[in-house]
Amino acid sequence: MKRKTIIATGCIIAFLGIVSCSVHTETCQEIDANKMLKYCDTQIRQTLSQLGNDSCLLPRSIPNDSQKWGTINAYDWTSGFWPGILWYDYQNTGDEFIKSQASRYTEYLTVLLQPEHQGDHDLGFQFLCSFVNGYRLTGNDAYKKIALAGADKLARFYHPKVGTICSWAHMREKMGWPHNTIMDNMMNLELLFWAAKNGGNKAYYDMAESHARVTMEHQFRKDYTSYHVAIYDTVNGNFIKGVTNQGCSDESFWARGQAWAIYGYTMVYRETGDKTFLDFAEKITDVYLERLPADYIPYWDFDAPGIPHEPKDASAAAIVASGLLELSQLENDPQKSKTYFMAAEKMLASLSSESYKSGDNKPAFLLHSTGNYPAGYEIDAAINYADYYYIEALTRYKKITSN
């Protein structure tokens, strides 16, 4: 019996080795992570030069007919991405100048804690990308304290009857939605999980897990595609309907919404260890992968009527690539692990190609993202969150392939 066990174990180890070798052989042929991270550093320094030393504004997006960043202040929902990009660049370069810039732009965001600033679910994006990344890399207790305060502020939007965080409080009056939760909010749960295990309120773990379960139950169709927005009644907490704000239609398959979900449920599985979330992450990933075009970069909405002449969304690809790299490492099934890793690798290969790199044309990393097509802005643009998840994905890729 012992001999059979040893032989079986040896076969498993050999199989895992074959999978790993086959993946990493193709890896070496397709993506040079160090080269692309150096490219990111070059673009970052160009952006810093464009912004100037005294600027307290942060880069958000560059239209396709421009070479200059449109800037925002700390209150914009995307304000955390630029300091987050700088922290990842510091992680990869160890450059003290980049660290000083990451600190400078991170500290601008302390204004988000002012009592007069109400905020919304995007507090997760804002504090996680900046202060939590800064704390992770420096151990600065001041960053930890501010990030915990950010989690406290985010938790106030949790509705116990519904079991989710309200995303857009202003939509109660504007649209008559009693309580709404957008798919983007899956990303903000990570701040609550982080706070619960780093000295914050332990109840935040339960809030984040509840949000993920309620969203899983109501905000997806039977085919595992997602609604952008779920609307709930606040009396009984019942689901009313699913709609869109940034997709093609209420029933269409909006690419970035599914990207938030894939990344978000992978993160929730990592934090909880509950296989229900792993199974769900696989299902929503598989339907996304089935609909991708040949270059693995989605159109802004999979159901947009003008495909293949619709705009692409590189930001969705970058988000999914980063999420799938993590999912590939959390998987117990070697074949699924390989499938998700290879899909992420294909996405990164396309994003790193001349077709999607900004290069000398703009100081951003990536071209061809779509912000809000129905509202008519940031279409075929360079956008800061595309760049953030791209450099995060490259950093994860480098770590995986270097092991």
Side-chain angles (χ1 to χ4, degrees):
M1 183 62 70
K2 289 182 179 178
R3 185 170 181 273
K4 289 180 179 178
T5 302
I6 291 169
I7 291 171
T9 303
C11 290
I12 293 169
I13 291 170
F15 173 69
L16 289 172
I18 290 168
V19 170
S20 176
C21 289
S22 69
V23 169
H24 292 165
T25 298
E26 294 189 42
T27 294
C28 296
Q29 295 173 356
E30 293 194 12
I31 304 168
D32 184 337
N34 286 322
K35 177 182 178 181
M36 297 316 303
L37 287 166
K38 185 176 180 180
Y39 159 75
C40 291
D41 180 64
T42 298
Q43 302 300 95
I44 285 167
R45 292 173 191 275
Q46 291 179 13
T47 296
L48 287 169
S49 178
Q50 188 178 103
L51 293 172
N53 294 329
D54 299 324
S55 174
C56 59
L57 297 176
L58 307 99
R60 169 159 172 162
S61 60
I62 309 176
N64 61 2
D65 60 351
S66 175
Q67 293 182 312
K68 187 173 182 180
W69 282 103
T71 55
I72 42 108
N73 62 27
Y75 300 105
D76 187 84
W77 78 270
T78 71
S79 62
F81 293 119
W82 173 239
I85 288 167
L86 291 167
W87 283 121
Y88 273 120
D89 192 41
Y90 169 63
Q91 179 177 341
N92 286 293
T93 64
D95 189 293
E96 290 297 316
F97 169 71
I98 295 297
K99 179 183 178 182
S100 71
Q101 295 301 303
S103 297
R104 179 165 76 97
Y105 282 100
T106 293
E107 289 161 13
Y108 286 156
L109 271 59
T110 55
V111 297
L112 297 171
L113 293 178
Q114 293 176 347
E116 59 269 26
H117 172 63
Q118 182 179 358
D120 56 23
H121 74 105
D122 290 317
L123 290 161
F125 283 123
Q126 292 164 328
F127 284 94
L128 188 75
C129 299
S130 56
F131 291 100
V132 173
N133 270 329
Y135 176 66
R136 175 176 63 85
L137 293 170
T138 68
N140 186 336
D141 282 335
Y143 291 163
K144 178 182 178 180
K145 183 178 180 181
I146 293 169
L148 289 172
D152 292 339
K153 194 165 185 176
L154 174 62
R156 295 172 198 161
F157 293 93
Y158 180 78
H159 196 291
K161 181 68 74 172
V162 177
T164 71
I165 291 168
C166 179
S167 296
W168 295 325
H170 68 279
M171 287 296 195
R172 292 173 192 146
E173 293 186 8
K174 182 178 179 180
M175 298 295 293
W177 298 347
H179 179 93
N180 68 86
T181 298
I182 66 174
M183 192 54 68
D184 318 37
N185 212 340
M186 285 299 304
M187 306 291 283
N188 296 299
L189 302 183
E190 189 168 2
L191 181 63
L192 298 181
F193 281 124
W194 175 87
K197 64 183 182 185
N198 282 277
N201 192 328
K202 299 295 185 184
Y204 294 169
Y205 177 102
D206 296 328
M207 290 181 183
E209 186 178 29
S210 170
H211 182 110
R213 290 190 186 280
V214 173
T215 299
M216 182 170 61
E217 182 179 355
H218 297 300
Q219 209 160 337
F220 292 84
R221 306 176 186 93
K222 291 181 179 180
D223 64 355
Y224 297 103
T225 62
S226 57
Y227 290 106
H228 181 199
V229 189
I231 301 171
Y232 299 91
D233 116 51
T234 54
V235 177
N236 300 307
N238 293 330
F239 174 70
I240 298 173
K241 62 180 177 178
V243 298
T244 196
N245 187 64
Q246 290 174 259
C248 187
S249 70
D250 288 346
E251 295 297 329
S252 70
F253 187 7
W254 179 48
R256 195 166 67 253
Q258 196 81 358
W260 296 134
I262 291 166
Y263 188 113
Y265 278 98
T266 298
M267 175 273 298
V268 172
Y269 171 60
R270 180 234 298 160
E271 294 297 328
T272 65
D274 188 330
K275 292 291 182 65
T276 303
F277 294 123
L278 173 61
D279 179 67
F280 194 72
E282 291 170 353
K283 286 181 169 63
I284 61 178
T285 295
D286 292 347
V287 69
Y288 177 93
L289 295 179
E290 287 169 5
R291 297 283 299 273
L292 286 176
D295 68 355
Y296 272 61
I297 311 299
Y299 296 96
W300 72 279
D301 191 303
F302 287 101
D303 296 320
I307 293 173
H309 305 296
E310 296 281 351
K312 291 290 194 80
D313 188 3
S315 73
I319 295 161
V320 173
S322 187
L324 291 191
L325 287 171
E326 179 166 54
L327 183 57
S328 74
Q329 302 306 291
L330 296 172
E331 276 286 358
N332 294 320
D333 183 327
Q335 188 55 51
K336 289 180 179 178
S337 175
K338 179 182 177 181
T339 296
Y340 296 141
F341 183 91
M342 297 296 286
E345 189 175 52
K346 289 176 182 177
M347 295 168 198
L348 278 179
S350 281
L351 292 172
S352 301
S353 70
E354 295 306 312
S355 296
Y356 288 92
K357 282 168 53 184
S358 293
D360 295 334
N361 186 39
K362 305 177 194 294
F365 303 162
L366 300 175
L367 302 171
H368 308 313
S369 290
T370 300
N372 191 331
Y373 187 94
Y377 65 84
E378 293 179 334
I379 299 170
D380 195 25
I383 304 179
N384 60 9
Y385 47 83
D387 287 2
Y388 175 84
Y389 291 104
Y390 177 67
I391 195 171
E392 180 183 79
L394 287 173
T395 303
R396 288 177 168 179
Y397 184 84
K398 178 182 177 179
K399 180 179 179 180
I400 294 169
T401 56
S402 65
N403 289 330

